[in-house]
Amino acid sequence: GAATWLATSLTIEESQISLSRDVKRLQTHPTDTQLLKVARCRDKLHTQITRFLEMAPTYLGGDVDVNDPDFPVIVCNSLDDNYEDYSDFDEDQNPGPDIHDASIFQPELTVIPLPSNIGEVRCRELGLTNLMKEEIALQEGQANDALHAIRVHLGDKAVIFHNTVRSAKSQASSTRAWTRVRSVETAVNLNASIYSKCRSQLAKLPDHVLLTKYLPLKKEDLKASSVVADPNARGQRDTTLSWFWSLDVQGDMSRNDWMTECE
C-alpha cells in the first residue's frame, strides 16, 4: 500500500545520502575501481527510483505525471544543502572530482515526489492529506532509527577509546584501533546525515511540533564522551551529554546493551 511505497522512498533517500557522501570522499583523481563502483551504485539507484516513479500515479493520483517538468517539487541542488558536514576527516575536505557536472548522470541528486517535496499546499489540492500523515510517521521512525544508531556507534567509539586505543602497546595495534575508530565515525556521520535529512523533510510537513522534539544535530553533539564508556568514573557526575541521549527513542532507553558491557 501507500505506506510501503513511502517506506521505499525513504530507503532511496538513505541510498542517495550514502552515495553522495561516497562520491564526495573521492580524491581529485579517483581510480578506475572507485569510478566503476560509483557507476554501479548510480545504476542500481536509478533502477530503484524508476520503479518508485512507476508506482507514483497509484498513490498521487492518476492525473499526476511525475515526469512532467512542470510538476511541482521543492528542489534542492544538493543533498548537502540540508545539513552540515559532520565528518572529522581531512579527506572529506579535499576537493573531489567534478561530480556536479550536468553531463554526468547523478541519481543521488534526484528529488523524488514525496509529499514533503511536493509541498503542503499542493498536497492538499491533490487530496493527499493522509499521505502527508503517513510520511510524517515514517520520517519520525527513520529519525528515531538514525538517532538510535548514532548512540550505539558513539558508545562503541567510546569503548574502543577506553579499552583499545589507550591500551595499544605497539604501532600495529594502535593502527588497528584507529581503523576501528574511523569505521565507527563513518557510520556516525552517515546516520547524522540521514537524521538531518529526516528533520529537513519534517519541516516541510504540517506537524511542526515534532521539530521541538527532534532538534538540529550539531557536529559537536557527535563527540564520544568518556561518560558513555564509564559512567561511574571519577569526575563524570557533572558531565552533560547532548540532548539526544535523553530522548526515549522507541523505548531503547531501557536496553542499552553496550552500556551494560562497559560496566
Side-chain angles (χ1 to χ4, degrees), residues 6 9-10 13 60 74 112-124 128-142 197-211:
L6 286 173
S9 73
L10 300 193
E13 286 197 332
L60 298 180
I74 302 171
I112 55 181
L114 284 169
S116 54
N117 289 331
I118 296 172
E120 181 180 351
V121 173
R122 182 60 174 149
C123 280
R124 294 192 187 282
L128 302 177
T129 302
N130 289 334
L131 201 65
M132 282 194 292
K133 293 178 180 178
E134 290 194 60
E135 186 187 350
I136 289 171
L138 289 171
Q139 293 284 6
E140 182 179 11
Q142 190 180 41
K197 179 66 174 179
C198 290
R199 192 177 189 280
S200 174
Q201 298 304 103
L202 284 170
K204 304 174 189 176
L205 293 164
D207 196 359
H208 291 168
V209 68
L210 286 173
L211 298 183

Side-chain angles (χ1 to χ4, degrees), residues 218-249:
K218 302 298 183 182
K219 193 171 181 178
E220 54 267 26
D221 292 329
L222 304 180
K223 302 297 183 183
S225 171
S226 58
V227 70
V228 177
D230 189 1
N232 298 315
R234 180 179 300 176
Q236 302 287 22
R237 179 175 300 177
D238 297 326
T239 301
T240 302
L241 291 171
S242 296
W243 61 270
F244 59 84
W245 287 97
S246 60
L247 191 66
D248 189 5
V249 177

Side-chain angles (χ1 to χ4, degrees), residues 22-42:
D22 288 345
V23 171
K24 185 179 179 182
R25 283 199 296 270
L26 292 178
Q27 303 297 317
T28 306
H29 302 289
T31 65
D32 289 342
T33 300
Q34 290 173 323
L35 292 175
L36 180 60
K37 180 181 178 181
V38 167
R40 287 174 173 170
C41 288
R42 280 175 166 165

Side-chain angles (χ1 to χ4, degrees), residues 28-225:
T28 306
H29 302 289
T31 65
D32 289 342
T33 300
Q34 290 173 323
L35 292 175
L36 180 60
K37 180 181 178 181
V38 167
R40 287 174 173 170
C41 288
R42 280 175 166 165
D43 187 58
K44 179 180 179 181
L45 183 56
H46 174 67
T47 300
Q48 292 174 327
I49 293 174
T50 299
R51 290 173 180 169
F52 176 81
L53 293 178
E54 287 173 350
M55 297 297 295
T58 302
Y59 304 106
L60 298 180
D63 296 332
V64 172
D65 182 4
V66 295
N67 295 312
D68 185 345
D70 293 328
F71 184 73
V73 290
I74 302 171
V75 178
C76 61
N77 292 324
S78 168
L79 291 171
D80 294 333
D81 290 345
N82 294 312
Y83 43 79
E84 64 179 275
D85 183 1
Y86 294 105
S87 176
D88 292 326
F89 303 129
D90 291 339
E91 65 181 18
D92 280 1
Q93 310 304 321
N94 290 340
D98 188 13
I99 60 165
H100 297 301
D101 185 333
S103 65
I104 299 177
F105 176 57
Q106 302 170 76
E108 67 270 23
L109 301 183
T110 298
V111 181
I112 55 181
L114 284 169
S116 54
N117 289 331
I118 296 172
E120 181 180 351
V121 173
R122 182 60 174 149
C123 280
R124 294 192 187 282
E125 292 174 352
L126 293 170
L128 302 177
T129 302
N130 289 334
L131 201 65
M132 282 194 292
K133 293 178 180 178
E134 290 194 60
E135 186 187 350
I136 289 171
L138 289 171
Q139 293 284 6
E140 182 179 11
Q142 190 180 41
N144 285 338
D145 289 345
L147 288 176
H148 175 70
I150 289 169
R151 294 201 303 212
V152 170
H153 289 306
L154 286 179
D156 289 342
K157 181 179 175 181
V159 171
I160 293 170
F161 267 117
H162 189 262
N163 296 339
T164 307
V165 173
R166 293 179 180 176
S167 62
K169 304 297 185 182
S170 67
Q171 182 65 39
S173 59
S174 177
T175 299
R176 286 194 298 270
W178 278 104
T179 298
R180 291 178 61 192
V181 168
R182 291 188 175 91
S183 176
V184 171
E185 285 182 337
T186 297
V188 168
N189 295 333
L190 173 60
N191 280 283
S193 295
I194 290 171
Y195 168 80
S196 292
K197 179 66 174 179
C198 290
R199 192 177 189 280
S200 174
Q201 298 304 103
L202 284 170
K204 304 174 189 176
L205 293 164
D207 196 359
H208 291 168
V209 68
L210 286 173
L211 298 183
T212 63
K213 175 183 178 181
Y214 298 103
L215 302 178
L217 200 58
K218 302 298 183 182
K219 193 171 181 178
E220 54 267 26
D221 292 329
L222 304 180
K223 302 297 183 183
S225 171

